[in-house]
Amino acid sequence: MPTTGISLVREHTETMRPPRALWVTFELGRPLGVPDDPPLQRRVVKAALDLLARTDGPLIADYPEHVPEVTDFSGWACPINLAPATIESLAAEIDRLVPWYDRSRERLGRTTVGLSGLDMQAAGALVTRALDGALPPAQTLKEATDDLRAYYLEAAAAFPDPGSPKSRKEWLWSETKLGQSLLALQPRLAASTDPQHKILGNLTLIPGRHLL
């Protein structure tokens, strides 16, 4: 069966040598380019499918279009003030996002929240206790923080001006009590004598660009 694919990291594709691959220069996580641009996305898909006619593989074809990376987030603002200094607790912040999360889930008809089996207040309480020194098992903490991040990002997607997925992530880490809490928790996990806590703190809790 003929196959084709889209490559975001050329070096990996050169190593794997698939029969056909279309290499694009878009941001990681965006193999079809920027959101909300159906014509561009159709062109990318068509270019990848056109490679099925090629029989001279393994081959890597360069996609000719480029899109600029988003670096300016100044035009995006949260419709509710979630700056860490203005929120008395993580629990209060979680509570203020409920209507936005509910609106997002209703609009999309799905959610990625639920891995931990905890409601968001319970997940937030777990993070708060961890900051106070009561570290839960690493897997429990990872699932709770994964759910919290998904909850925040899905809620932010329902804001009147939601911005891009990248700007919403910047908002989470720079402007929320959750981001502040996880950044404070990271060095404690990294310094733990528990190897699983070390892995969580050093590798998976915080995106690398946000580590100090």
Side-chain angles (χ1 to χ4, degrees):
M1 177 183 296
T3 60
T4 186
I6 297 174
S7 166
L8 287 162
V9 183
R10 188 181 186 96
E11 292 81 0
H12 293 175
T13 307
E14 290 174 345
T15 300
M16 296 171 63
R17 293 174 57 83
R20 303 165 191 83
L22 179 70
W23 179 59
V24 297
T25 58
F26 309 142
E27 293 182 60
L28 290 177
R30 293 184 175 178
L32 300 182
V34 297
D36 302 319
D37 190 347
L40 169 64
Q41 294 164 1
R42 281 193 291 268
R43 292 194 298 272
V44 175
V45 171
K46 183 178 185 301
L49 293 177
D50 285 347
L51 295 180
L52 290 171
R54 300 273 299 270
T55 59
D56 54 329
L59 62 90
I60 301 174
D62 295 344
Y63 186 72
E65 294 185 74
H66 304 274
V67 296
E69 180 178 355
V70 176
T71 58
D72 180 12
F73 305 109
S74 58
W76 183 66
C78 175
I80 54 177
N81 191 350
L82 290 178
T86 68
I87 300 293
E88 59 273 23
S89 68
L90 178 57
E93 184 175 82
I94 290 170
D95 188 60
R96 293 177 71 173
L97 286 172
V98 168
W100 300 102
Y101 169 74
D102 289 344
R103 183 177 300 182
S104 176
R105 186 176 60 179
E106 181 179 358
R107 186 183 67 197
L108 296 174
R110 58 178 175 81
T111 181
T112 59
V113 177
L115 178 65
S116 68
L118 301 172
D119 63 53
M120 292 302 92
Q121 286 293 353
L126 194 75
V127 171
T128 299
R129 291 196 299 272
L131 282 169
D132 290 337
L135 290 177
Q139 186 63 28
T140 301
L141 184 58
K142 180 183 184 304
E143 291 175 359
T145 55
D146 284 350
D147 272 350
L148 284 166
R149 286 197 299 267
Y151 171 79
Y152 273 64
L153 293 175
E154 289 180 25
F159 291 164
D161 183 8
S164 68
K166 187 173 182 178
S167 67
R168 294 195 290 272
K169 291 177 182 178
E170 290 290 337
W171 160 78
L172 188 157
W173 292 108
S174 302
E175 300 182 35
T176 70
K177 199 76 170 180
L178 176 64
Q180 184 184 69
S181 298
L182 296 183
L183 288 168
L185 183 58
Q186 185 274 331
R188 304 184 189 192
L189 291 169
S192 172
T193 57
D194 183 303
Q196 296 304 313
H197 284 148
K198 281 185 175 294
I199 291 172
L200 180 60
N202 288 325
L203 298 179
T204 63
L205 185 70
I206 311 291
R209 63 175 296 180
H210 295 281
L211 286 173
L212 297 179

